[in-house]
Amino acid sequence: MEKKFFEEPTIYVGEVNINVTNLEKALTFYQNIIGFNVLDQTDSKAVLTADGKTPLLTIEQPADVVPKEDRKTGLFHFAILLPSRADLSSFLNHIVQTGTRLGASDHYVSEALYLNDPDGNGIEVYRDRPSSEWTWSEGKVAMATEPLDGESLLAESKKEWNGLPNETVMGHIHLHVANLAETEKFYKNGLGFDIVTTYPGALFTSTGDYHHHIGLNVWNGEGAKAPSRNSAGMNWFTLVYPNEKVREETVGQLKQVGADVKQESDYYITQDPSGNTIQLILN
């Protein structure tokens, strides 16, 4: 298995929570197409997992839900990181067989497949190249969007797809934001993430020398508004902290940049300047 990306005290994305318009339809997609298992379920919510114990994605159907709103801040995609290229090969073969619409890219650091759930929530499923093959220069990692060698990937493995491997994690999240300057201040000075790559209209941030844990873009337009509370799309995502000391330091930094931070029972909650909600939890 290829090396996992994070080592303590890296801070990483743990779980994503999204709204859907039809829970049954979305659940069928996430189980049969993506390969999640159900960890817990009610009439309006399902908690999904790969290993049978760790929640990675929660899907909810609010009673007053409305379809995903266009040109808003919020989720661009969440990204599911598979343990190996063979796993991604198996997934691609499965997707081809189901006839699901798909996009694909080679980002130098990774190979990625892109698709949408029935509500238009963006999903990336990817594998990392070994970090020894990533190219760094002056604190920035080389990334690009190149065509994926699909034939090579399909030929990598003949293993049948049996759902997400136990070692699957939420590799990163990519968000639409309203203003890059305000966003950089929040994620760099507040959350303490490093800016490791820039694209036109986008920033990529990480901790622990990962290629990125959080992508941020203004591709929905400068000054884009936050979506309605009941819109299909993202409700929140978690950042996982290795210990209380690191988390408390982050809370202090967030307050210094003017962010509102509230303490709940066992986590803190805050919002970036674009209204994207983040829960700060412990490992």
Side-chain angles (χ1 to χ4, degrees):
M1 185 187 302
E2 294 164 7
K3 182 181 176 183
K4 266 198 174 181
F5 67 81
F6 59 82
E7 297 176 359
E8 291 188 5
T10 296
I11 302 157
Y12 58 92
V13 178
E15 179 185 358
V16 177
N17 181 296
I18 62 173
N19 282 339
V20 298
T21 57
N22 184 307
L23 185 67
E24 183 179 355
K25 184 176 181 180
L27 191 54
T28 298
F29 171 86
Y30 280 108
Q31 288 181 288
N32 296 347
I33 302 300
I34 303 299
F36 277 109
N37 295 313
V38 176
L39 185 61
D40 189 29
Q41 185 176 355
T42 67
D43 290 341
S44 61
K45 180 171 74 171
V47 182
L48 306 179
T49 182
D51 63 6
K53 56 185 178 182
T54 307
L56 296 180
L57 178 70
T58 295
I59 56 176
E60 298 195 35
Q61 181 185 333
D64 57 349
V65 68
V66 298
K68 187 175 176 65
E69 298 169 348
D70 294 332
R71 311 299 292 177
K72 301 292 186 179
T73 62
L75 184 69
F76 181 46
H77 63 244
F78 60 84
I80 300 165
L81 175 57
L82 301 182
S84 70
R85 191 172 198 251
D87 293 312
L88 189 65
S89 173
S90 176
F91 179 73
L92 178 56
N93 274 286
H94 159 69
I95 291 298
V96 170
Q97 290 170 12
T98 64
T100 304
R101 187 174 179 178
L102 187 71
S105 293
D106 187 322
H107 296 304
Y108 296 165
V109 295
S110 64
E111 293 178 298
L113 305 174
Y114 295 93
L115 59 164
N116 290 328
D117 78 1
D119 289 291
N121 293 306
I123 307 163
E124 175 181 343
V125 181
Y126 75 114
R127 74 97 184 184
D128 277 335
R129 289 192 168 91
S131 57
S132 59
E133 297 180 12
W134 306 350
T135 301
W136 290 84
S137 177
E138 298 180 351
K140 300 294 188 291
V141 64
M143 290 175 59
T145 300
E146 301 289 347
L148 179 72
D149 186 346
E151 291 187 4
S152 170
L153 182 58
L154 285 170
E156 178 74 17
S157 174
K158 298 302 180 184
K159 182 176 65 174
E160 184 178 351
W161 178 252
N162 290 311
L164 295 171
N166 287 348
E167 301 87 355
T168 300
V169 296
M170 188 64 70
H172 64 266
I173 193 166
H174 194 151
L175 305 173
H176 291 295
V177 297
N179 180 284
L180 280 186
E182 292 180 355
T183 296
E184 180 172 353
K185 180 182 177 183
F186 176 88
Y187 284 92
K188 182 178 180 180
N189 300 340
L191 287 176
F193 278 64
D194 299 317
I195 308 299
V196 291
T197 302
T198 57
Y199 278 10
L203 301 170
F204 294 85
T205 73
S206 79
T207 64
D209 292 333
Y210 189 50
H211 56 70
H212 70 292
H213 291 111
I214 306 175
L216 305 147
N217 74 68
V218 291
W219 300 335
N220 270 353
E222 287 274 357
K225 303 299 183 183
S228 304
R229 170 200 56 79
N230 56 334
S231 168
M234 189 183 73
N235 291 313
W236 48 261
F237 68 95
T238 65
L239 289 177
V240 183
Y241 287 78
N243 55 60
E244 189 63 58
K245 180 176 182 293
V246 176
R247 186 171 68 165
E248 290 293 336
E249 289 173 351
T250 301
V251 169
Q253 292 167 185
L254 286 167
K255 291 179 178 178
Q256 286 181 356
V257 300
D260 184 33
V261 185
K262 297 178 181 177
Q263 185 170 8
E264 300 293 339
S265 57
D266 58 353
Y267 63 91
Y268 289 94
I269 188 166
T270 190
Q271 287 190 333
D272 73 10
S274 302
N276 295 306
T277 300
I278 308 166
Q279 294 183 5
L280 282 54
I281 70 171
L282 293 178
N283 193 354

